[in-house]
Amino acid sequence: MTTRNKTHDANGGVVHDNNNPPALTTYNQCKATGDENVEGKMVTNNLNGQLSAETVENARSSSTNESPKLNPTDDKEPQKKRKVEVAPGKELMPKATEESGSGDSGDNASSKTTKKKKDMFSSKVLSSSSSSSSLQQSSSTYSENDNNGVKNNSSFKGRALLVFVSVLYATLTIALRALYNLPNPPSASALSASRGWIASFSFIPFLLSSSAKNKSNDSDKDKTTAAIETPPPKNVWITAFELALYNLGAQGLINIGLLKISSSARASFLTQTSVILTPLLSIFFGDVVKSTVWSGCIAALVGLLLLSSSGGGAAADVVASTSFGEGDIFVLSGALCWSIYLYRTSKVGSKYNEVQLQSIKTFLLAILYTIWFLFASFSGGSYINLWMGWKNITAWMILAYSAIGPGTIADIVQQQGQRFVSASEANVILSLEPVFTALLAMLMLGEFTSLRENVGGALIFLGALLASRD
């Protein structure tokens, strides 16, 4: 015989039947109908073993995240509260209270589980943050190493380019010696004007190549970026004219001084004093000169002194003299102009395209040399007298090389090199020119150097190494 355990309300209706439990109703479904006795129904179902405490807790928590709507009027009109009458003497409330205690224990278990999960999550966050900080430190270290590597590579590139320029300048000395060994060589003004115009025309292929490269680069950039990176054309011409004046002053003043100084060794030494004037000029304009650069400048100056005095007389005779004449002032002024040229080239080298700036400078310099040539021709009576052997093809070939190699190419490469090297260090490296000149003279002309010249060359080389130390 089957026993049915039923609970009746005050009107005799069945509230609960153990053998026929009501269908499970979710928390959200009851809530959606506006039933305020949701907790009681959930508890009642739980009393019959249909729901666990964790299910009740999950239902409660899900209700805070979801609030389903049956119709659009739910948002506009407040829901009517339903009062549930419970028959007096029934044990629903005590049972609910009892189950509420059971629910609290479930809540405690759930809160412990949640706290444990939070602790695990916090530990993971802390470990990930520590890993992230260590990764950031590692990345910053790598970036610093990369920056140092790029800087070292750039410095090495600049020094290598300047060494190449000093070799080109050494070949200029050999070429001019060969030119002046020919009959009826050109005067200084005719030589300068001829070389200037040949060098100017030699820039045309470089300009065309550079223009095509700039167009391809501009297509990848927006107009604003190109306008910021490219200086105005007017500034390029002003800077080029400034460099042309310094270049002209260096050559012209030194040539005038050489005519007034009887000792060629003294004149040669005073010309090379630019190796000391350049760092002094840098300090005057507020730049910092490293101690290694100063050491290299002093070593190079002593080496240049030995090379200058190798032609005859003691080194002390080159430096010491009973009088400081007008010729000395011209030569020192020319050396100062060369130092200013190097300093300004280092400052503007990274701002302007080297082909554009040097081509304009060479063009303006050719005009200035032409004015010098015309002035000399009017003073001498005829321009023919300034170069009697102008029909010599060999002379023109030598002039063409001197204008293209030590002229056009050297100007472009020198500006590229001085982008990464200070003016003081550049001057020390370029002072290797007489060393390479001696080597080329030995290989091409069969000339050998003396012990003093070898020591002087070694000191210049040592000075270049000291100035290049980072």
Side-chain angles (χ1 to χ4, degrees):
M1 178 176 179
T2 304
T3 302
R4 295 182 179 271
N5 186 9
K6 299 182 180 179
T7 305
H8 299 271
D9 58 10
N11 298 322
V14 178
V15 176
H16 185 71
D17 188 347
N18 287 338
N19 294 319
N20 295 301
L24 295 178
T25 305
T26 64
Y27 189 94
N28 291 334
Q29 288 173 345
C30 295
K31 196 71 176 176
T33 60
D35 192 352
E36 295 297 330
N37 196 26
V38 177
E39 301 288 341
K41 290 184 178 181
M42 297 296 291
V43 170
T44 304
N45 288 332
N46 191 34
L47 286 172
N48 292 290
Q50 301 299 325
L51 295 173
S52 63
E54 185 174 355
T55 306
V56 174
E57 176 64 25
N58 291 338
R60 288 174 180 170
S61 63
S62 65
S63 69
T64 60
N65 296 330
E66 282 185 61
S67 297
K69 299 177 183 178
L70 294 179
N71 53 64
T73 60
D74 291 342
D75 292 334
K76 298 180 181 178
E77 298 181 359
Q79 295 178 349
K80 297 182 179 179
K81 296 185 178 179
R82 296 182 181 180
K83 294 183 179 179
V84 179
E85 294 181 358
V86 181
K90 299 300 180 181
E91 298 296 326
L92 278 176
M93 292 305 294
K95 288 181 181 179
T97 306
E98 181 183 353
E99 183 56 34
S100 175
S102 173
D104 290 340
S105 64
D107 291 343
N108 293 335
S110 176
S111 63
K112 289 180 180 179
T113 304
T114 306
K115 183 177 180 182
K116 185 177 180 181
K117 290 180 179 180
K118 287 182 178 179
D119 292 340
M120 293 175 63
F121 179 75
S122 300
S123 62
K124 288 182 180 179
V125 170
L126 290 174
S127 62
S128 64
S129 63
S130 61
S131 302
S132 144
S133 62
S134 62
L135 286 174
Q136 288 178 356
Q137 291 177 356
S138 301
S139 64
S140 63
T141 304
Y142 292 145
S143 62
E144 289 178 1
N145 293 336
D146 291 342
N147 291 335
N148 292 333
V150 171
K151 183 178 180 181
N152 291 336
N153 291 337
S154 300
S155 299
F156 177 79
K157 177 183 177 180
R159 291 159 186 163
L161 291 175
L162 291 175
V163 170
F164 177 67
V165 172
S166 64
V167 174
L168 289 178
Y169 286 161
T171 62
L172 174 63
T173 303
I174 300 297
L176 293 181
R177 288 179 60 182
L179 178 63
Y180 278 95
N181 284 333
L182 297 175
N184 299 318
S187 64
S189 60
L191 172 66
S192 299
S194 302
R195 287 187 68 245
W197 286 112
I198 295 174
S200 295
F201 287 111
S202 300
F203 270 100
I204 293 178
F206 294 100
L207 286 170
L208 294 176
S209 176
S210 178
S211 177
K213 184 178 179 180
N214 290 337
K215 287 181 180 179
S216 63
N217 290 338
D218 289 342
S219 62
D220 299 332
K221 301 178 182 178
D222 91 353
K223 295 182 179 180
T224 304
T225 305
I228 293 174
E229 293 181 353
T230 305
K234 181 179 178 181
N235 292 348
V236 177
W237 281 86
I238 293 174
T239 305
F241 183 70
E242 177 190 358
L243 295 179
L245 287 179
Y246 295 143
N247 208 329
L248 176 66
Q251 181 176 350
L253 292 173
I254 289 175
N255 288 337
I256 294 174
L258 291 176
L259 297 176
K260 296 180 177 294
I261 298 177
S262 57
S263 173
S264 59
R266 180 179 175 83
S268 178
F269 172 75
L270 293 176
T271 301
Q272 302 297 337
T273 53
S274 62
V275 76
I276 291 294
L277 294 176
T278 303
L280 291 175
L281 188 68
S282 300
I283 292 176
F284 177 78
F285 285 108
D287 294 344
V288 177
V289 180
K290 298 184 297 184
S291 58
T292 53
V293 175
W294 276 112
S295 302
C297 291
I298 293 172
L301 184 64
V302 174
L304 291 168
L305 173 62
L306 294 176
L307 287 177
S308 301
S309 61
S310 62
D317 295 336
V318 176
V319 180
S321 178
T322 56
S323 61
F324 193 81
E326 182 183 4
D328 298 330
I329 296 175
F330 278 108
V331 173
L332 285 176
S333 299
L336 180 60
C337 286
W338 177 246
S339 294
I340 297 174
Y341 174 81
L342 292 177
Y343 179 80
R344 291 293 297 150
T345 302
S346 290
K347 290 298 181 182
V348 303
S350 58
K351 298 179 181 179
Y352 299 96
N353 178 273
E354 58 274 5
V355 176
Q356 183 184 21
L357 179 62
Q358 293 299 325
S359 62
I360 297 174
K361 183 211 76 173
T362 303
F363 172 74
L364 295 175
L365 197 57
I367 295 176
L368 295 175
Y369 284 147
T370 302
I371 295 173
W372 178 24
F373 172 75
L374 293 176
F375 180 79
S377 63
F378 288 134
S379 301
S382 174
Y383 67 91
I384 297 296
N385 296 331
L386 299 177
W387 190 6
M388 300 293 294
W390 65 274
K391 294 182 180 181
N392 192 329
I393 301 299
T394 303
W396 281 106
M397 292 176 63
I398 295 174
L399 269 179
Y401 169 76
S402 67
I404 297 172
T408 301
I409 297 176
D411 286 343
I412 296 173
V413 176
Q414 182 176 341
Q415 182 175 333
Q416 289 178 341
Q418 287 194 239
R419 285 183 178 181
F420 314 108
V421 176
S422 66
S424 301
E425 184 180 348
N427 204 345
V428 176
I429 296 175
L430 292 176
S431 66
L432 288 169
E433 174 193 345
V435 178
F436 291 117
T437 301
L439 292 175
L440 291 175
M442 182 179 64
L443 295 175
M444 300 176 64
L445 303 177
E447 298 179 357
F448 293 94
T449 56
S450 63
L451 178 61
R452 179 181 293 179
E453 290 172 335
N454 292 334
V455 173
L459 286 174
I460 296 174
F461 187 74
L462 176 63
L465 292 178
L466 290 174
S468 301
R469 290 184 60 187
D470 292 326

